[in-house]
Amino acid sequence: MVGENDRISSFINSLDPGNLPFLDELERAALEDQVPIIRKDTQALLKFLMAQNKPRNILEVGCAVGFSALLMAAYTDADTKITTIEKFEKRIPVARENFSKYDTEGKITLLEGDATDILKGLDPGYDFIFMDAAKGQYINFLPDCLRILNKGGLLVSDNVLQDGDVFESRFAVTRRNRTIHARMREYLYELKHNDQLNTVILTVGDGMTLSVKL
Ligand code: SAM
């Protein structure tokens, strides 16, 4: 988001009481290492959803070094389970180290590999899915996410506005980004028109959708 929206985000973020100190430290380290993690306002929304929804069985697609998984773990009850998927070999050991240090209640399970394959093998029973992997693949992950998400469960997708690219004409987007642009538009259309879902698109962070399974 640009311009006026930046000012709105800065104002909203300035009111945020912050996270637990170990999360602040992880966030700082991730940003320093240029690991993409959820933004401040996205963090606030996730924390709100954890408190309001009280999910028991969470799936995250796109773990990176474990920041958002640990944030969800820190703000849920002790009996919540979180499964998170990551395929990038360099990030997996860092995530494992972070989980062994900070996931003191043993809530988090890390599945290593490509979500395209892993999702197919997962059994139904998730009440919250956080989609935060390669944006161009969301549309391909959707059928499995719908299959394994409980009725009444929530699918939350991050980065759906792609820094504003998604609402530009495809010709205003660099050639390199056109496939992602088309796929994200297809994903948003599907979320809004699929009979199994009720979806709201929010301008939080880099754009988020909340979809409840009917
Ligand atoms: N959720 C993390 C956080 O906020 O702490 C950030 C996730 S980062 C934006 C996206 C991650 O998804 C990257 O680490 C990337 O390697 C991973 N990823 C992308 N495509 C994937 C796939 N098909 N299967 C598994 N992981 C994938």
Side-chain angles (χ1 to χ4, degrees):
M1 302 284 96
V2 286
E4 192 66 10
N5 281 342
D6 271 349
R7 295 184 56 222
I8 295 170
S9 288
S10 299
F11 173 69
I12 292 172
N13 292 341
S14 74
L15 295 170
D16 199 279
N19 296 322
L20 296 171
F22 85 89
L23 286 168
D24 289 341
E25 174 53 28
L26 273 184
E27 182 183 29
R28 194 199 50 71
L31 295 177
E32 201 174 286
D33 296 341
Q34 299 191 324
V35 176
I37 60 167
I38 49 170
R39 299 179 189 189
K40 288 272 184 214
D41 34 2
T42 311
Q43 295 171 27
L45 181 61
L46 271 193
K47 279 167 30 179
F48 173 85
L49 291 173
M50 294 299 112
Q52 194 265 336
N53 249 57
K54 300 203 176 303
R56 290 280 170 269
N57 199 13
I58 298 174
L59 174 68
E60 175 180 71
V61 188
C63 169
V65 293
F67 175 78
S68 51
L70 283 163
L71 179 119
M72 292 191 280
Y75 294 97
T76 42
D77 296 335
D79 59 349
T80 297
K81 293 283 165 226
I82 302 171
T83 304
T84 181
I85 306 174
E86 179 57 52
K87 71 169 181 182
F88 190 12
E89 297 91 10
K90 276 198 182 158
R91 292 192 180 144
I92 290 167
V94 186
R96 287 217 179 276
E97 197 184 322
N98 288 333
F99 294 153
S100 71
K101 263 198 223 158
Y102 302 118
D103 178 27
T104 48
E105 293 177 305
K107 292 178 172 177
I108 303 174
T109 304
L110 173 58
L111 302 180
E112 300 179 16
D114 197 314
T116 313
D117 308 318
I118 291 176
L119 285 172
K120 290 189 198 334
L122 295 179
D123 291 327
Y126 294 91
D127 48 13
F128 191 99
I129 299 180
F130 181 44
M131 184 90 89
D132 192 22
K135 304 170 190 97
Q137 293 188 45
Y138 287 9
I139 186 72
N140 302 327
F141 296 157
L142 187 60
D144 275 312
C145 288
L146 278 178
R147 177 182 61 78
I148 62 180
L149 184 64
N150 293 339
K151 277 196 179 149
L154 206 58
L155 168 65
V156 176
S157 311
D158 197 16
N159 305 113
V160 297
L161 295 179
Q162 306 177 299
D163 284 319
D165 266 5
V166 86
F167 48 81
E168 299 293 347
S169 134
R170 71 183 292 271
F171 300 106
V173 174
T174 57
R175 196 171 280 274
R176 197 167 58 93
N177 285 334
R178 280 188 195 158
T179 307
I180 294 183
H181 177 265
R183 287 190 183 165
M184 186 54 84
R185 282 199 173 195
E186 194 189 338
Y187 182 65
L188 291 175
Y189 185 90
E190 185 61 26
L191 290 183
K192 290 295 285 186
H193 292 84
N194 189 306
D195 289 344
Q196 289 189 74
L197 294 173
N198 186 329
T199 295
V200 60
I201 304 175
L202 304 174
T203 56
V204 173
D206 187 22
M208 295 183 80
T209 51
L210 309 185
S211 309
V212 63
K213 183 168 166 184
L214 304 172

